[in-house]
Each structure stands twice: as structure tokens, then as C-alpha cells.
Amino acid sequence: MFSYGFLKKAMKFLTNLTYPFKIIGKNKVADGSCILVANHYRMWDIVHVAYTTKEKVHFIAKKELYDNKFIAGLCKTIQAIPVARNGQDTKAIVTALKYLKNGEKIAIFPEGTRNQTDADLLPLKGGAAILAIKAKVPIYPVMALHRQRFWRRTKVIVGDPFEFTEYYDKKLTPEDYVVAENIIRDKMLMTRNCYLQTIENKKLNKKNKIKSEKHK
């Protein structure tokens, strides 16, 4: 079977032939353990997240993918972590924590499924907060600005890292984890909205500059 590095390069080549993308802010992702949380439109989102860092990323993937022998082989090559859809999967949590404590990276699509609606982000299924708190690692939001379109470049924005330091080494309730997951959702949406606002501000400044020069 192919190596992780080969698959990563091959998938980037194939993706850019049909659904090209550009990552904004990938230099933000530091070496070492962290959790990457991303929105999910299409299968190509995996390639986007993989290219936010030079290091290997372990994706949390639904167990059903392992029913297909070819896809199962690819999942094993990249050491994806199979998880049950209901989220009640202790083995997956233990495996993810092991990678994080070894200084490696985990990627999660917390919506739990592909977003086929007009909403910017579906309700999160959970999981990222508990891993980040137990492993004491930062979280990086990764947001594709829109659903990928054939031969149209997609911008993928990497947000600033954040941590749940206020929750470390404390006995937490289920309600605490719900609050933490809502914070993750807010940070993901903020990453997208702040970038869009920056672009709008640049356009407005350019427009105002042109007007100012015309009146000189």
C-alpha cells in the first residue's frame, strides 16, 4: 500500500485538477500535537486539512468507511481512527488520546456529516472538546469558505489556536463539555466571518482610495 506522504501529494494533485484550493494561514499550525476541527462539504475536505501542516494528520472517520476494502486500505495507510456514528466509542477516544500524547495531530469534522444545507455550519456532534481537554492540546479551526465547485478555487482559512486551559485538571460535567463544544463552534464561525470581513474592509478601503484620488 502507498505511504501517507505519497497519498497526500497524489490527492492534492487530483484535487487541484478538479476542485483547486488555497490555504490561508497554514503557517499558524505549530509542530506537535493539536486538534484540527474543520467544516465538511465534500470528501476533498480531507486534503485541505492534511495540507494545513507538514506533519502527519490522523483523521477520525466513520466506521462505515471500513466496509469498502479499497477505502479501508487507504484509511489504514493514513492511520485514520474509526468511530461509531453515535459517538459512544471508547476505543476511538483512547486511540486519539494516544496519538495526541505522542505529539501527533488529530483532525475532526465535528458536524459529523457533510453539510448539504445553506447553513454556514451544522450543529456539532461533539468529541473535539473532550479530547482537547484531556490531552491538554490546542485546537485550530479550519474553514472552507464555501462548498467546492468544479474548476473554482476554494479558499480554506486556518484560524488562531485556542485552548481550554480553564478546564484542565478539573472534574467536568456533561454541561461543561456542551459549553466547550459551543465555544468550538463559535471559533469556527468566527474564523470564517473574520476573514470575510477583512476582505470586505479591503474592498471598501480600495473603493474609498479611488474616490479620494478622483477628488484631488
Side-chain angles (χ1 to χ4, degrees), residues 47-117:
V47 184
H48 300 165
V49 177
Y51 267 90
T52 61
T53 174
K54 293 180 180 179
E55 297 186 310
K56 186 173 185 177
V57 178
H58 299 278
F59 289 86
I60 291 183
K62 58 185 181 182
K63 281 185 175 179
E64 288 81 358
L65 292 178
Y66 284 79
D67 294 337
N68 181 295
K69 288 185 178 181
F70 176 72
I71 295 178
L74 295 179
C75 287
K76 289 177 181 177
T77 297
I78 66 174
Q79 294 181 296
I81 304 167
V83 64
R85 278 186 178 272
N86 60 15
Q88 304 300 315
D89 198 325
T90 303
K91 184 179 178 181
I93 293 175
V94 170
T95 301
L97 286 174
K98 181 188 73 173
Y99 285 132
L100 290 170
K101 290 178 179 180
N102 283 341
E104 300 181 67
K105 290 177 166 56
I106 296 294
I108 301 175
F109 295 107
E111 293 168 287
T113 188
R114 285 178 290 179
N115 183 356
Q116 299 180 352
T117 74

Side-chain angles (χ1 to χ4, degrees), residues 160-178:
D160 295 326
F162 63 96
E163 294 189 51
F164 291 114
T165 53
E166 67 274 23
Y167 290 150
Y168 292 171
D169 299 318
K170 292 183 179 179
K171 186 176 182 180
L172 303 178
T173 65
E175 289 74 21
D176 290 326
Y177 285 114
V178 170

Side-chain angles (χ1 to χ4, degrees), residues 25-39:
K26 65 179 179 180
N27 293 331
K28 291 182 178 181
V29 181
D31 293 343
S33 58
C34 71
I35 297 174
L36 301 155
V37 290
N39 59 339

